[in-house]
Amino acid sequence: SAKIVVHLHPASSNKEPGPFQSSKYSYIKLSFKEHGQIEFYRRLSEEMTQRRWESMPTGQTIQVNKDPQAGRIRAVGIVGIERKLEEKRKETDKNISEAFEDLSKLMEKAKEMVELSKSIANKIKEKQGDITEDETIRFKSYLLSMGIANPVTRETYGSGTQYHMQLAKQLAGILQTPLEERGGIMSLTEVYCLVNRARGLELLSPEDLVNACKMLESLKLPLRLRIFDSGVMVIELQSHNEEEMVASALETVSEKGSLTADEFAKLVGMSVLLAKERLLLAEKMGHLCRDDSVEGLRFYPNLFLTQS
Amino acid sequence: LLQAKYKERGTVLAEDQLAQMSKQLDMFKTNLEEFASKHKQEIRKNPEFRVQFQDMCATIGVDPLASGKGFWSEMLGVGDFYYELGVQIIEVCLALKHRNGGLITLEELHQQVLKGRGKFAQDVSQDDLLRAIKKLKVLGNGFGIIPVGGTYLVQSVPAELNMDHTVVLQLAEKKGYVTVSEIRSSLKWEMERAKQVLEHLLKEGMAWLDTQAAGEPQYWLPALFTELYSQEITPEEAKEAIP
């Protein structure tokens, strides 16, 4: 790490006693583990030239922590720093307690909103569908703003808010090319990362993403959400046909005799997660058989079917 | 006719309340803006404050992280903080999956995430990670949190882990490994049941088999290998993480 060495003149005879009587070294070595040395050197050189400490009024010298054993007096600089730290600590404490107070008050108001929304939801239940479309949309958007779970459906968004509809359309635009580059299919986790990395700010919550994707099909957009038996969620291009991909997967597996999800993934250039789902689907459709051992899950062409 | 009149009245009442809610919402938004202007930094910089904030929200029935479009997220910036953390968690888990089968201790996850965030990023606590992970569950990728011996294992693959598997993981946590005999004596299970669970963990890549151990074979959990903790994520692993 970078080092700055500060050489010291021998102490003058009328120097006040310091923390140590003497030292065998005539220099101080400053080590910079994580950069900062350039800036520090600049400022140090500045101070050494200006020598502001020589023009400080002597009244600032304060006796603090007079150590009875050594009879030392702390230097001005250190006391000043300690004072500042103490002030900062008090300030921080004050800020935090003020913040907590304000937070409590805010929560009281939020609680009122929750109560009100419950009351409205009850009215809606009583009316059993007499509420207008418009009112429903308004109510759901209020719930969305507050982060209140829909008391009627228990979902934290209420399906079909304007926001999610817009989001679905946006996603259809953003994801077209990435999907094409990835063989027409991506896991929802991949989509989450891709979209949020691109945004940088005003990120989507996982729930925002899922709720928007749930609307893709009904909005007749060129993408759709698909949920595999395992619970894994993917976005596919409408033009993508996973069942057709299974046929080519079967070919690949047959060529190699047998494949694990890892091997298949590497061969085809897919993520292991999606590779596994494709092989499982192929198995479900009867094209592949599994060999499940402690050495891993391996898939073979289903000879029972083809060679019976 | 009377019924119709009652129904009508019901409609009017709901409308009134909706209008009232709309007004109160506007007022609340103003209050929140004021709070944000004074204390937004507190939330960003202070992990304990975040915990308090989250707990209070939960108590009154509000989820500040439900939507990026919610007031809390927009005005306090809590959303971005946790959603970004979600991305970082996903990346770390993907990069290390081949080492640990998709199971990682909260400690290691914390370390790796902090490394990835760099020196100047905000401080992130384990509580923050847990909350971000809870939100990630909805993406269907199998994210889960398993309590073991005072801490947590984070699962990031859609492997089925039932109560039996969890209990064996908890048993293994003490030493980093477990044997069939230990399972049978601690949990009073038959041989078959113990073997099934261990085989499942082996298949998922969450456990490694040491047949050369003195006595009987030992089933180790790579997620608990302390030697691996400080190992950097290699460039190859990092490529795995970013599709």
Side-chain angles (χ1 to χ4, degrees), chain A residues 77-285:
Chain A
I78 295 179
V79 167
I81 292 172
E82 284 191 334
R83 268 244 213 88
K84 280 213 189 102
L85 282 176
E86 184 58 36
E87 272 167 28
K88 199 166 180 210
R89 239 172 274 143
K90 286 207 185 113
E91 180 81 28
T92 311
D93 282 345
K94 189 170 129 259
N95 280 347
I96 293 190
S97 48
E98 200 191 306
F100 275 124
E101 244 184 75
D102 288 346
L103 183 64
S104 304
K105 288 192 203 129
L106 190 71
M107 288 299 168
E108 284 296 321
K109 304 209 173 83
K111 191 168 175 189
E112 285 169 21
M113 302 293 305
V114 176
E115 295 306 322
L116 185 54
S117 72
K118 281 194 192 142
S119 156
I120 295 178
N122 281 334
K123 288 253 158 29
I124 294 177
K125 253 198 289 201
E126 283 166 23
K127 282 168 51 165
Q128 310 265 8
D130 271 7
I131 186 172
T132 68
E133 175 89 22
D134 191 53
E135 286 169 344
T136 311
I137 292 180
R138 273 167 67 199
F139 185 49
K140 282 175 180 168
S141 79
Y142 297 161
L143 294 177
L144 183 75
S145 298
M146 284 300 300
I148 299 171
N150 189 328
V152 181
T153 64
R154 285 293 141 93
E155 295 158 326
T156 30
Y157 68 99
S159 53
T161 65
Q162 297 282 45
Y163 170 60
H164 293 109
M165 264 197 272
Q166 282 169 8
L167 192 52
K169 292 180 191 154
Q170 270 180 37
L171 287 172
I174 300 171
L175 296 175
Q176 185 74 27
T177 312
L179 278 169
E180 283 165 9
E181 289 171 354
R182 288 165 180 73
I185 184 170
M186 281 173 77
S187 74
L188 214 55
T189 348
E190 282 178 81
V191 173
Y192 177 78
C193 291
L194 190 93
V195 171
N196 275 342
R197 269 194 232 107
R199 284 186 147 214
L201 283 178
E202 291 183 12
L203 305 182
L204 299 183
S205 76
E207 277 160 79
D208 285 336
L209 182 61
V210 172
N211 296 331
C213 289
K214 282 184 179 164
M215 301 183 74
L216 288 171
E217 195 118 37
S218 62
L219 290 174
K220 309 246 187 301
L221 293 164
L223 324 172
R224 62 166 167 256
L225 175 69
R226 180 178 182 150
I227 305 177
F228 287 114
D229 293 342
S230 60
V232 169
M233 297 165 88
V234 299
I235 300 292
E236 300 178 319
L237 286 172
Q238 281 287 3
S239 57
H240 177 89
N241 190 331
E242 187 67 9
E243 280 71 12
E244 276 171 16
M245 303 307 289
V246 160
S248 88
L250 174 59
E251 263 184 56
T252 314
V253 174
S254 305
E255 271 171 44
K256 297 288 175 181
S258 72
L259 287 174
T260 63
D262 275 330
E263 291 164 356
F264 180 62
K266 277 212 183 75
L267 218 59
V268 174
M270 283 178 87
S271 71
V272 178
L273 184 80
L274 295 181
K276 189 167 181 187
E277 289 302 328
R278 186 164 293 172
L279 293 175
L280 286 173
L281 185 63
E283 182 193 33
K284 189 173 176 184
M285 289 167 66

Side-chain angles (χ1 to χ4, degrees), chain B residues 33-102:
Chain B
E33 274 168 350
E34 215 189 294
F35 181 84
S37 66
K38 284 170 44 186
H39 305 298
K40 194 170 178 179
Q41 288 306 315
E42 211 59 58
I43 294 212
R44 277 220 270 268
K45 291 195 185 155
N46 190 336
E48 284 95 44
F49 193 72
R50 278 199 293 276
V51 173
Q52 273 291 335
F53 169 74
Q54 293 274 20
D55 283 347
M56 282 180 162
C57 284
T59 308
I60 62 173
V62 157
D63 182 359
L65 299 181
S67 171
K69 201 65 180 162
F71 286 162
W72 308 97
S73 183
E74 284 191 323
M75 274 173 256
L76 291 181
V78 259
D80 279 5
F81 175 83
Y82 286 97
Y83 307 148
E84 190 189 4
L85 191 53
V87 173
Q88 291 162 347
I89 291 169
I90 291 170
E91 288 175 350
V92 167
C93 288
L94 272 179
L96 296 177
K97 190 175 75 165
H98 76 99
R99 284 192 210 170
N100 54 34

